[in-house]
Amino acid sequence: MKKIVINLICIFFTINIFAQLEAHLINNEGWIKGKYVEIGINSKGVFGASKFSKPSSFHENREFENFLFGFIANPQKDNWVDYDGDFFTPGTPEEGFSIEINGANYSNNSDTTFGTVEGSVISSQKIESDCFESLAQIQWQGNVDGLGIKRTFSVTEEGLFIQMITSITNLSGETKKNVFFMHNVDPDNNVSLTGNYSTKMEIISQPNSTSNISLVKATQESVGDPNDLDGSAVSFYANDENARVTFGGFNNRIASDVWNGVFGLLENTVGSSSTSDIAMSIAFKLGDILPSETKTFVY
């Protein structure tokens, strides 16, 4: 009997035929949208592109003080009648990342005083494949202290999430020791509708002997506004044994503090909750990175 082997070859390419996906690169800022999620990434690789550059097809994000566009979503899937956000940019915007190398932290943040990792948005594109769902994607690339950092933000046509992939490569000739990475955000959810900056924070899960899931969630209940009948929620999620989530503090900048959970400041206990105007964070312990080595993680 003749054995037949069928090989599936996956091909992906960038084209402009998507009715519900968009990707734009405007003034070194990336814009992408699917049916239910729209985001703007600025030149520092963090949420908060200039509203003055917003593509006309994107919805109003209800942020009129800082003129930034971060992230909005339509979980009701009702053609953007009842939608949430802007999640990160109202009031005092707090959103960004830090990389720690042997105790030294370098941060890029929506706060203009924090931008110590040089870099830029290098692409914003739509991708189609026979092997996975079509998506729109922004890529940011930077470097600091001999480490190259590549951040990729993706939304799918039907998805209600933003996938963030970070790759860190040691471009130097020496081992980079005790490397941590963190992403910190003040989730303001629907403050433009509710007038309330406080959210209910909950630690849902941390990696343990049976699961590698990290999950922290911030929610606001509906206040009866017809544009917010279901309340809102935003989360950090990872399936990675090296990840940890916390809530607490505000302008957190020390990646190892987030991973370890600083007693009295950053709560990391599963089942704990608090309702306040505070930040939530996710951190990854990467350990030592050898010359030419790359470490990649997804959340």
Side-chain angles (χ1 to χ4, degrees), residues 185-210:
V185 61
D186 169 33
D188 289 323
N189 288 35
N190 280 342
V191 62
S192 54
L193 297 176
T194 65
N196 184 8
Y197 284 93
S198 293
T199 55
K200 181 182 179 182
M201 302 286 196
E202 300 175 89
I203 303 292
I204 308 297
S205 180
Q206 299 278 26
N208 55 45
S209 59
T210 60

Side-chain angles (χ1 to χ4, degrees), residues 11-159:
I11 301 173
F12 65 88
F13 48 92
T14 60
I15 52 178
N16 294 310
I17 62 171
F18 306 96
Q20 300 295 331
L21 282 171
E22 291 187 29
H24 307 271
L25 182 59
I26 304 171
N27 298 327
N28 197 29
E29 296 184 324
W31 300 80
I32 54 175
K33 71 186 291 286
K35 285 184 180 180
Y36 310 117
V37 174
E38 301 178 359
I39 73 173
I41 301 296
N42 65 32
S43 60
K44 292 190 289 186
V46 301
F47 289 86
S50 170
K51 282 190 67 172
F52 299 111
S53 300
K54 181 175 75 71
S56 59
S57 56
F58 281 52
H59 292 86
E60 174 55 54
N61 71 328
R62 309 184 179 121
E63 205 296 294
F64 300 103
E65 181 179 355
N66 298 306
F67 299 104
L68 298 174
F69 190 106
F71 160 38
I72 58 177
N74 180 216
Q76 289 278 51
K77 301 182 179 181
D78 61 0
N79 198 29
W80 294 85
V81 174
D82 178 346
Y83 66 93
D84 300 326
D86 200 311
F87 283 95
F88 303 157
T89 60
T92 302
E94 171 52 39
E95 188 276 327
F97 69 90
S98 294
I99 183 166
E100 181 174 326
I101 308 166
N102 208 25
N105 281 269
Y106 306 89
S107 302
N108 275 14
N109 199 269
S110 51
D111 184 334
T112 57
T113 61
F114 286 91
T116 57
V117 183
E118 294 291 332
S120 62
V121 176
I122 61 172
S123 68
S124 185
Q125 62 185 351
K126 294 173 287 186
I127 299 173
E128 184 184 43
S129 170
D130 290 332
C131 305
F132 53 82
E133 189 176 356
S134 299
L135 54 85
Q137 186 178 87
I138 297 167
Q139 290 188 335
W140 179 91
Q141 191 166 290
N143 62 83
V144 65
D145 193 26
L147 291 182
I149 304 170
K150 187 173 184 179
R151 304 193 74 202
T152 302
F153 305 80
S154 301
V155 300
T156 61
E157 188 169 6
E158 301 285 343

